[in-house]
Amino acid sequence: MALAEALGKGATPQLQRLVLDDNKLGKQGAVQLAAALRKGAMPNLNQLYVERTRLGAAGRRLLDEAAGDTVDVVHESDDDRMRSAFCLVS
């Protein structure tokens, strides 16, 4: 993911909020974003939105762990996806 590479290199040090909703990041994207977070490449980031990005449970866990208490990671939980699917079927 080219964006994660740029973020990991510190290209956006002033970035406070990153919205990646509805992008197909997948687990690999989560791995790259988590590495950028752990590296401190986005020192001012306080909100990361990754809803509907195909992270999977492992990808969500990676981002949550890398974000720690400094970045609020907003993503769908498994329960949210199940509710959405149920609404579509009902």
Side-chain angles (χ1 to χ4, degrees):
M1 183 174 135
L3 177 60
E5 270 185 52
L7 293 171
K9 292 179 182 176
T12 56
Q14 299 305 315
L15 186 67
Q16 296 177 5
R17 183 172 148 203
L18 179 58
V19 179
L20 296 172
D21 294 345
D22 299 306
N23 284 285
K24 298 176 186 175
L25 300 177
K27 185 178 177 187
Q28 184 58 36
V31 167
Q32 291 175 334
L33 284 171
L37 288 170
R38 281 192 299 275
K39 185 178 175 182
M42 299 173 279
N44 293 304
L45 188 70
N46 54 42
Q47 294 176 321
L48 175 60
Y49 291 85
V50 288
E51 293 187 297
R52 298 170 306 280
T53 52
R54 301 181 182 182
L55 296 177
R60 288 192 303 274
R61 193 170 35 257
L62 278 171
L63 287 179
D64 288 342
E65 290 170 0
D69 294 333
T70 59
V71 179
D72 182 24
V73 181
V74 179
H75 51 68
E76 288 183 356
S77 69
D78 291 329
D79 292 338
D80 293 336
R81 281 197 305 280
M82 290 302 289
R83 273 195 295 274
S84 296
F86 179 74
C87 290
L88 290 174
V89 172
S90 297

